[in-house]
């Protein structure tokens, strides 16, 4: 039994090394908090490790892990909703001019303005390059809902970033 557990741990270690970057990046962009994202990534891999025998039957490991990560995020989001609402009130963009951090901050704030499910779909499809089908599998949402979330997120991001784009266009020679 110890050999079986040891073999499982070694195989799982390879899975973690291969996929931890994608899981942590996804969670960091969803949570906007590196420490929380790292904690959720650890919980994601612990949950995956506990599944034991079923890992061998998984066809798309990355999608499966991202789905587990998304569930961890949703659970965390539900637990900390009040704290998040207070923090979101302080995350509104200011009217100051853009600086070196301006572009990244504007994009981050635009993403932050999206509801969690829409932000997750946008991250998966627009930022990480997953198909709508993959995003549906990862989030557990119906395909049509994912497509709708991505389309609405794209529109909302374009609207929020239009002021920035107009500012850049106005600076062009």
């Amino acid at each position: 039994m110890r050999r079986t557990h040891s073999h499982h741990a070694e195989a799982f270690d390879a899975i973690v090394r291969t996929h931890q970057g994608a899981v942590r990046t996804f969670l960091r962009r969803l949570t906007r908090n590196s420490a929380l994202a790292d904690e959720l990534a650890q919980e994601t891999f612990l949950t995956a490790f506990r599944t034991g025998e079923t890992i061998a039957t998984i066809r798309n490991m990355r999608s499966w892990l991202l789905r587990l990560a998304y569930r961890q995020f949703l659970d965390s989001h539900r637990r900390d909703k009040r704290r998040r609402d207070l923090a979101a009130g302080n995350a509104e963009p200011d009217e100051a001019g853009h600086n070196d951090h301006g572009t990244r901050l504007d994009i981050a704030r635009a993403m932050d303005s999206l509801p969690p499910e829409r932000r997750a779909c946008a991250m998966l499809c627009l930022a990480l390059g997953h198909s709508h089908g993959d995003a549906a599998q990862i989030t557990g949402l119906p395909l049509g809902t994912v497509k709708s979330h991505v389309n609405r997120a794209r529109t909302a991001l374009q609207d929020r970033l239009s002021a920035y784009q107009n500012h850049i266009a106005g600076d062009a020679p």
Side-chain angles (χ1 to χ4, degrees):
M1 186 162 184
R2 284 185 186 169
R3 271 191 191 162
T4 302
H5 181 72
S6 175
H7 176 68
H8 177 67
E10 289 174 19
F12 194 76
D13 186 49
I15 291 169
V16 171
R17 280 193 314 272
T18 301
H19 300 288
Q20 72 178 347
V23 169
R24 291 173 74 202
T25 298
F26 178 58
L27 288 167
R28 282 183 177 159
R29 290 180 179 166
L30 284 176
T31 63
R32 305 171 311 269
N33 179 324
S34 293
L36 177 59
D38 289 345
E39 181 181 322
L40 294 176
Q42 183 176 11
E43 287 300 318
T44 297
F45 285 108
L46 286 172
T47 299
F49 182 77
R50 289 182 192 125
T51 62
E53 300 297 322
T54 60
I55 288 178
T57 64
I58 296 168
R59 292 191 341 225
N60 187 333
M61 184 62 66
R62 181 168 290 187
S63 291
W64 180 72
L65 289 168
L66 290 174
R67 182 177 187 156
L68 292 178
Y70 182 64
R71 287 180 183 163
Q72 291 292 333
F73 165 74
L74 288 179
D75 289 346
S76 172
H77 181 75
R78 289 179 190 118
R79 282 190 310 266
D80 300 333
K81 184 169 181 5
R82 194 167 96 182
R83 181 187 58 80
R84 287 195 195 298
D85 289 344
L86 292 173
N90 296 327
E92 289 301 314
D94 60 3
E95 298 299 321
H98 298 283
N99 55 28
D100 290 342
H101 300 303
T103 303
R104 286 193 314 229
L105 289 175
D106 287 345
I107 292 170
R109 286 177 177 155
M111 286 297 289
D112 291 351
S113 72
L114 299 173
E117 285 184 343
R118 195 168 293 164
R119 185 170 60 244
C121 292
M123 287 302 308
L124 288 167
C125 295
L126 301 177
L128 300 177
H130 286 277
S131 69
H132 289 127
D134 286 346
Q137 180 184 11
I138 290 165
T139 61
L141 297 171
L143 180 60
T145 301
V146 168
K147 289 179 179 182
S148 176
H149 279 322
V150 170
N151 189 37
R152 289 179 180 158
R154 182 181 292 118
T155 300
L157 292 171
Q158 288 171 341
D159 290 347
R160 289 212 33 136
L161 295 172
S162 66
Y164 176 77
Q165 291 168 345
N166 291 337
H167 175 75
I168 296 298
D171 288 346

